[in-house]
Amino acid sequence: MSVLKLKNTYTKSLEVFQPLDSQGRRVTMYSCGPTVYSYAHIGNFRSFLMADILRRVLERNGYEVKHVMNITDVGHLTEDDVADATGEDKLQKAAREMGWDPYKLARHYENAFVEDARKLRMKNYSGGEASEPELHPRAASHVPEMLAAIQKLLENEFAYVDEQGQVYYDIQKFPEYGKLSGKVIDELEAGARVAVGEHKRDPRDFYLWKVDPKHLMQWDPHGEKGWDPADYERYRQLLPKGVDQRIKPGFPGWHIECSAMSRAHLGNLIDIHTGGEDNIFPHHECEIAQSYGAFHTHVPGPHGASDEGSPRKAFARYWVHGRYLLVNNKKMSKRDGTFYTVRDLLDPRSAEREELASQLEQAGFKGGRVPANVIRFALISNQYTQPMNFSIEALKAAGNALERMQTRYDKLREVVSNGTNPDLAGVASDKVLELVSKAEEAFDDALNDNLNVPNALAVVFSAINELNTMELGPAEAGEALRLMESFDEVLDVLDRSARSGLITREQAASWLDSETLKTKAGQLKHWAEAPDREQLWEMIEAGQLPMYEDLAPIEQMDAETIELFVAIRQNARKAKDFTMADAIRDELKKRGVQIEDTPQGFRWVLG
Ligand SMILES: [Zn+2]
C-alpha cells in the first residue's frame, strides 16, 4: 500500500506523513474551528470538510486520530487580516446588532454550527465524539490556559506589558516569524499596524491580551470579576501566584487562544494543524511564535524533506491548509446573491432566499432544497490544494454523480438481499474480485497522494461503469457492495439506510410495553442526542404527539427510527387512541414513509 503524503505549508513541499508517536499509531490533529458570530458559510465548511477527509484518510491508514476543533467565541476582531488586529470583536458586533448578550449569541451560532456539521457528516461531530467537550473547546472557557501561556511568555521575555496593561508579543525575539507564510520582513511590516498613542517595540508585535473597557466579555486577572466560577478555580490552580500585576482586566487575543487550547487538549507538540489558507498569516504564524516563546516547542522535520529530521521551531509538524472558495469565479458576495451558508442551500425558503430556491428548483432540486449529502459531495470533490469554484451547476453535477453512485449501491444491495438466482454461481468470479481489489488500491493511492479526491472519485466512477456492464451474482454483488461501502468510509455521501422493510406482528407486539419502548428509543443515536429527550418521553407516555422535529429530522429517517414510530403507533392503537395512531401515520407520510398493514406485519417503504 502507498504511504500518505501531505503538502506541508511550513516547508512548501510534499512530505511523507509520520506521526510523532513512537509506536506509530496515535495522531494528534488540531483544526481552527468556526468563529460563532453568524452561520458558517460553504467556504468555511470546505476547510472543515478537508480536515474531515484528512482524518478519515489517516484512519484508513491505520492511525488512531484525536481530532480537536475549537469554537472561537471571544477575541476575534473584525479587521483580522493583520497580525495585531483591530476593530470590534466579531461576536460583540453581531450581538450588539441583534440586541443579544454575546454569550447567548455564541451559543446560538455554536448550536447552529453543530447542526450543520452533523448534517454534513463531519466525523468529529458524530456519535460519542459530539458530546466530548475537550474535542470542541470553547475559547471563552480556556482563559486560564491562555493567561498561563501569557505569563510564560512574559517570564521567558518573549512578551511585554504596555502602559495600558495590555500584553504584546515581542517579535524581535523570534526571527523565525514569517517562516510559515514565507513572508519577508517588509511584507510583515506592511501587515502590521500601529495606532496613535500605542507603544509597540516593533510594528509587527501583536497583542496577547487586550484592554478595552467597551468590550463586553472581560476577565480580571487579579480577581473573580468576569469569571465563570469553575474557570476561576482552575485559573487559581494553574497560576497560584497569579500573573504579572501590571496586566489589567481585558480579554485574550485570537491567536493565543489556539496555542492554549491545542496544548490543553493535545499536549505541547502535535502532528497536524489545519485551517483555511487565510489562517496562514497572521493567525498560524502567530500561534507558532507564541507556542515556541512560551514552551520552546520543537518538532522534528519529517523524513524525505530537504532538511530531514532537523528540528523546527514550531509546535505542529505538518501544517495543512485548504485553499479558498469562489462562487461563479468571484468572491462570495451578499450583494450578488452568491453568499451561501449551508442552511441557505438546505432550505432556502426558510432562510428567506426565494430567488435561490427558484434557481435550485430550475437546476432540478426538488422543492429548491439541496440534500446535505450533495452539499458534502460538492465541497469535498476537488483537491484542497486547488481553489474551488462553487456554482449551482457544480452542485447539480455533484447531485447527478451522487445519484449514479446511489443507484448502483441500491441495486447491489437488492441483488444481495434477493440473493437466490439459481443461474448464477454462489462464489464471486476472479474478474469481480480483481476489479474490487484493484479499485480499492487505486482509491487509497489517490487519497494518500496528498488527498487527491478527484482522482479517488475517478476510481469510484470507473468501477461503477465497469460494474454496470456486468451481470452479478449475489456473492459478486456482495463483494462490489463492500467496495462501495469502503469508498464511502472516506467520502460518506451515500444513503446507506434501508429503503424498505417489514416489521413482523410478533416484533410489534413485543414493543407493546412502555419499558421496552423506552429502551428501544434510548438506543437510537439521535434520540440519545435530543436535548429534551425526557420531555419527549413524557409526551409519548402521556399519549401526546411527540415533537417530531426533535424525535427525528427528516434526513435521519432510517429503519430504526421508522420502527420506533411504528411501535409508538401500535401503543396508541392498543390504548384505543386512534387519533394519535392516525396522526403518526400522517407524520410518517410527510417524511416519505409509507406504511402498509399486511397479514405478515407492517411493511414500510421510504420513498
Ligand atoms: Zn485557530
Side-chain angles (χ1 to χ4, degrees):
M1 191 172 156
S2 52
V3 288
L4 173 61
K5 290 193 197 113
L6 295 171
K7 170 87 188 293
N8 190 346
T9 311
Y10 196 89
T11 56
K12 284 130 205 97
S13 56
L14 200 61
E15 290 171 358
V16 172
F17 176 76
Q18 276 182 322
L20 294 163
D21 174 27
S22 57
Q23 310 290 312
R25 274 191 71 77
R26 277 172 317 185
V27 171
T28 47
M29 176 158 127
Y30 185 91
S31 301
C32 285
T35 300
V36 285
Y37 68 105
S38 64
Y39 297 118
H41 58 66
I42 52 170
N44 302 136
F45 273 105
R46 190 208 174 190
S47 129
F48 302 142
L49 286 171
M50 171 204 78
D52 183 64
I53 295 290
L54 172 53
R55 177 239 168 105
R56 289 169 189 256
V57 170
L58 286 161
E59 286 173 344
R60 211 172 158 88
N61 280 277
Y63 298 116
E64 226 172 83
V65 184
K66 184 169 177 189
H67 185 197
V68 172
M69 183 181 278
N70 75 293
I71 298 284
T72 298
D73 52 2
V74 64
H76 193 168
L77 304 192
T78 44
E79 315 287 325
D80 62 0
D81 53 338
V82 292
D84 187 16
T86 179
E88 197 174 356
D89 189 304
K90 289 190 175 191
L91 248 107
Q92 183 165 305
K93 181 168 179 272
R96 182 169 51 75
E97 284 162 3
M98 288 176 80
W100 280 9
D101 163 59
Y103 285 99
K104 179 182 167 189
L105 181 103
R107 289 301 87 83
H108 171 81
Y109 285 115
E110 181 185 332
N111 291 340
F113 169 74
V114 172
E115 234 178 69
D116 293 350
R118 280 190 195 161
K119 285 183 182 158
L120 295 185
R121 306 187 187 179
M122 276 165 56
K123 207 168 175 182
N124 61 334
Y125 277 102
S126 312
E129 274 187 49
S131 47
E132 279 186 47
E134 67 159 40
L135 299 181
H136 314 282
R138 292 174 180 148
S141 313
H142 288 75
V143 180
E145 289 76 11
M146 295 170 201
L147 282 167
I150 291 172
Q151 183 60 23
K152 272 265 172 242
L153 283 161
L154 286 167
E155 286 165 11
N156 295 344
E157 296 181 348
F158 273 82
Y160 57 94
V161 185
D162 78 355
E163 286 163 9
Q164 292 168 291
Q166 317 193 94
V167 188
Y168 279 96
Y169 190 92
D170 189 352
I171 216 68
Q172 285 181 12
K173 300 281 166 58
F174 192 62
E176 287 79 3
Y177 188 67
K179 252 201 127 171
L180 178 74
S181 57
K183 284 186 188 283
V184 293
I185 194 151
D186 286 355
E187 290 175 286
L188 290 167
E189 274 178 4
R193 177 195 63 85
V194 191
V196 184
E198 206 170 26
H199 302 286
K200 289 205 281 188
R201 292 180 185 168
D202 185 307
R204 297 170 301 163
D205 294 352
F206 57 91
Y207 68 85
L208 303 164
W209 187 259
K210 194 164 174 77
V211 172
D212 176 1
K214 290 198 296 299
H215 201 268
L216 295 174
M217 295 158 114
Q218 300 260 2
W219 288 263
D220 181 356
H222 315 292
E224 286 173 56
K225 209 169 159 220
W227 289 91
D228 167 87
D231 291 345
Y232 187 68
E233 184 59 37
R234 207 167 74 252
Y235 175 51
R236 297 295 304 253
Q237 278 170 13
L238 267 175
L239 291 161
K241 292 191 207 132
V243 290
D244 192 306
Q245 281 303 317
R246 293 170 298 166
I247 306 177
K248 294 253 169 66
F251 61 97
W254 174 37
H255 314 310
I256 194 72
E257 298 181 351
C258 286
S259 284
M261 285 186 279
S262 155
R263 180 168 183 264
H265 300 295
L266 294 171
N268 267 343
L269 302 181
I270 62 172
D271 289 295
I272 305 174
H273 197 309
T274 80
E277 70 174 330
D278 54 338
N279 290 147
I280 300 174
F281 183 86
H283 189 48
H284 291 165
E285 197 76 80
C286 296
E287 282 184 33
I288 291 175
Q290 292 162 163
S291 295
Y292 178 80
F295 310 110
H296 293 303
T297 49
H298 283 91
V299 283
H303 295 279
S306 53
D307 56 345
E308 186 158 324
S310 63
R312 298 169 181 175
K313 288 181 180 174
F315 68 108
R317 200 178 192 188
Y318 302 86
W319 290 84
V320 181
H321 293 99
R323 297 211 61 199
Y324 59 85
L325 175 142
L326 298 172
V327 174
N328 305 335
N329 288 312
K330 281 185 0 209
K331 213 174 160 203
M332 276 207 290
S333 137
K334 284 194 176 152
R335 217 181 48 200
D336 297 347
T338 55
F339 186 94
Y340 306 132
T341 65
V342 165
R343 41 196 64 211
D344 288 342
L345 295 169
L346 287 171
D347 189 358
R349 290 204 167 93
S350 295
E352 293 174 27
R353 306 244 346 223
E354 188 55 45
E355 203 188 300
L356 177 61
S358 32
Q359 281 173 4
L360 289 167
E361 242 161 8
Q362 270 172 22
F365 290 104
K366 247 194 263 167
R369 298 157 66 119
V370 186
N373 54 347
V374 173
I375 301 176
R376 178 178 166 95
F377 191 105
L379 289 176
I380 63 172
S381 61
N382 79 342
Q383 200 175 4
Y384 74 96
T385 47
Q386 299 298 320
M388 170 177 263
N389 183 34
F390 191 89
S391 62
I392 291 184
E393 293 79 74
L395 263 182
K396 192 179 166 183
N400 290 341
L402 182 51
E403 200 180 309
R404 276 174 62 209
M405 230 178 128
Q406 185 71 50
T407 309
R408 175 44 47 193
Y409 178 75
D410 291 344
K411 276 192 186 144
L412 288 169
R413 194 153 58 180
E414 214 177 286
V415 178
V416 173
S417 59
N418 295 339
T420 44
N421 187 342
D423 297 336
L424 297 161
V427 277
S429 65
D430 287 347
K431 195 177 165 199
V432 171
L433 289 174
E434 199 182 310
L435 184 157
V436 168
S437 78
K438 276 197 171 155
E440 203 163 22
E441 199 182 316
F443 183 75
D444 286 336
D445 288 349
L447 291 170
N448 280 344
D449 180 16
N450 198 22
L451 314 183
N452 195 326
V453 179
N455 283 353
L457 286 173
V459 172
V460 171
F461 287 101
S462 116
I464 289 175
N465 287 344
E466 238 179 294
L467 290 168
N468 283 347
T469 64
M470 299 173 167
E471 195 177 346
L472 301 177
E476 292 172 324
E479 287 295 326
L481 193 66
R482 196 194 57 69
L483 174 70
M484 300 283 284
E485 285 176 349
S486 160
F487 292 151
D488 205 45
E489 286 302 311
V490 177
L491 305 173
D492 205 352
V493 288
L494 286 175
D495 179 357
R496 284 155 75 175
S497 54
R499 310 300 297 174
S500 63
L502 176 79
I503 301 163
T504 63
R505 298 223 164 254
E506 293 75 46
Q507 276 173 317
S510 72
W511 302 329
L512 291 179
D513 155 68
S514 103
E515 272 316 300
T516 323
L517 198 55
K518 195 170 183 176
T519 314
K520 191 170 171 53
Q523 287 159 351
L524 287 184
K525 193 173 127 259
H526 37 272
W527 178 280
E529 286 168 2
D532 300 314
R533 53 186 182 278
E534 276 308 310
Q535 202 188 339
L536 282 172
W537 182 250
E538 280 166 22
M539 291 183 80
I540 291 170
E541 276 195 317
Q544 294 165 5
L545 275 174
M547 288 167 282
Y548 291 100
E549 286 310 313
D550 290 335
L551 198 53
I554 290 173
E555 58 271 20
Q556 287 178 337
M557 291 307 284
D558 53 21
E560 279 89 25
T561 312
I562 293 166
E563 282 177 10
L564 177 68
F565 275 97
V566 169
I568 299 170
R569 178 168 168 249
Q570 281 309 93
N571 276 272
R573 280 179 157 188
K574 188 182 148 201
K576 300 212 180 323
D577 184 350
F578 297 107
T579 320
M580 164 109 159
D582 286 350
I584 291 173
R585 198 190 49 210
D586 293 346
E587 200 60 43
L588 283 167
K589 211 170 174 180
K590 265 195 245 162
R591 282 142 199 271
V593 184
Q594 300 285 344
I595 297 276
E596 201 190 326
D597 294 0
T598 71
Q600 295 81 37
F602 306 93
R603 188 166 286 287
W604 59 268
V605 179
L606 184 59

